[in-house]
Amino acid sequence: MLGIIGGSGLTQLANLDVSHREVVRTPYGEPSGPLTFGSIGGKQVAFVARHGYGHTIPPHLVNYRANLFALQSVGVTQIVSVASVGGIRSDMGPGVLVAPHQIIDYTWGREMSFQSGGDGPVVHVDFTDPYDAGVRQLLLESARKIGESVHDGAVYATTQGPRLETAAEITRLERDGADIVGMTGMPEAGLARELDLPYAALCVVANWAAGRGDSVHGIKFSSLEGVLHEAMSRVRRIIEQVCEA
Ligand code: HPA
């Protein structure tokens, strides 16, 4: 079964033929909300809205462990994570879709491992390539088949939030090699790897990052919603095509 984690702008999947919802409890607490089960084009899908269905859970308080554990416990075998980001690289402006290939983690104070000590030998998972190559290719090929353009590869900087970055912070991230910036990429991807769950992200650039493009004097929230709304309809079509594969 395919698992989809929806971010800002994607709290439900309009093209999901819903069969039921289920509250799943985990040893790590409750996920962001009940899981929504259904099918898209005949393929079974489980969906969870990362920030809750009413978008009430900020990035630093999302129970990433519970979301991933719950999805795996109901039989999810691969995950597409949808997230909105800010664009740093000059060809990654608002409305662009990106399948990142790398992550830099600047978050802190989040529950970022299923290993809590004392419950078996320490395991160091390999994270050289943080996203699953198969799920990334599936995303890219599905987009190509329906003529939607998705950038193949970007370095995703995950910041702590919930505040946005300063212009100097974005300059530092750029120096570090980051192309896009968001607040939820980690620990989500690392936890998926600990569970050995193939996981890849489809990111929607919602705005120019602080100090870039039309955010040079501040990020204007007025245009954000429109950009996300339009881009998420392309994301939905891509997910539909993923389900055809
Ligand atoms: N910074 C961090 N996270 C984000 C941004 C941003 O500019 N836009 C959407 N998520």
Side-chain angles (χ1 to χ4, degrees):
M1 180 161 51
L2 175 69
I4 299 170
I5 304 177
S8 304
L10 194 73
T11 49
Q12 49 193 4
L13 275 174
N15 47 0
L16 181 65
D17 189 5
V18 175
S19 63
H20 64 289
R21 292 195 169 83
E22 194 178 319
V23 176
V24 181
R25 292 181 212 292
T26 82
Y28 307 97
E30 283 192 24
S32 298
L35 305 190
T36 303
F37 293 86
S39 60
I40 301 178
K43 187 168 173 78
Q44 289 304 112
V45 170
F47 176 85
V48 65
R50 184 185 290 112
H51 301 286
Y53 291 96
H55 206 276
T56 52
I57 310 170
H60 63 296
L61 296 180
V62 169
N63 192 338
Y64 297 94
R65 295 196 300 182
N67 285 348
L68 287 161
F69 193 90
L71 287 170
Q72 189 172 52
S73 73
V74 299
V76 162
T77 50
Q78 51 183 7
I79 293 184
V80 169
S81 158
V82 180
S84 76
V85 294
I88 301 175
R89 211 168 87 187
S90 61
D91 57 346
M92 294 187 177
V96 167
L97 303 184
V98 189
H101 73 298
Q102 277 296 332
I103 297 176
I104 305 177
D105 185 8
Y106 300 91
T107 66
W108 48 271
R110 302 182 179 189
E111 294 286 359
M112 30 61 85
S113 176
F114 289 105
Q115 301 183 65
S116 46
D119 48 0
V122 176
V123 178
H124 298 288
V125 293
D126 176 61
F127 205 44
T128 309
D129 292 306
Y131 298 108
D132 179 76
V135 182
R136 274 193 83 245
Q137 282 316 311
L138 182 60
L139 276 171
L140 291 164
E141 272 165 33
S142 300
R144 192 179 42 74
K145 271 193 201 141
I146 58 166
E148 291 294 355
S149 125
V150 176
H151 270 277
D152 179 358
V155 177
Y156 176 146
T158 314
T159 54
Q160 176 71 354
R163 68 161 177 85
L164 290 152
E165 299 73 33
T166 67
E169 284 171 336
I170 293 299
T171 301
R172 172 197 172 202
L173 299 186
E174 188 172 42
R175 263 201 314 272
D176 284 355
D179 302 309
I180 53 177
V181 54
M183 300 173 187
T184 58
M186 287 295 286
E188 201 173 83
L191 291 166
R193 182 59 54 85
E194 281 194 1
L195 292 178
D196 209 12
L197 251 178
Y199 169 103
L202 181 56
C203 296
V204 176
V205 181
N207 56 279
W208 283 112
R212 298 290 184 280
D214 68 357
S215 300
V216 73
H217 298 301
I219 292 167
K220 292 171 203 67
F221 295 97
S222 50
S223 55
L224 256 165
E225 214 167 295
V227 170
L228 276 181
H229 184 76
E230 186 283 321
M232 287 305 172
S233 63
R234 284 181 276 140
V235 167
R236 286 194 186 92
R237 283 203 294 278
I238 294 169
I239 288 174
E240 219 162 68
Q241 186 60 36
V242 165
C243 292
E244 298 287 319

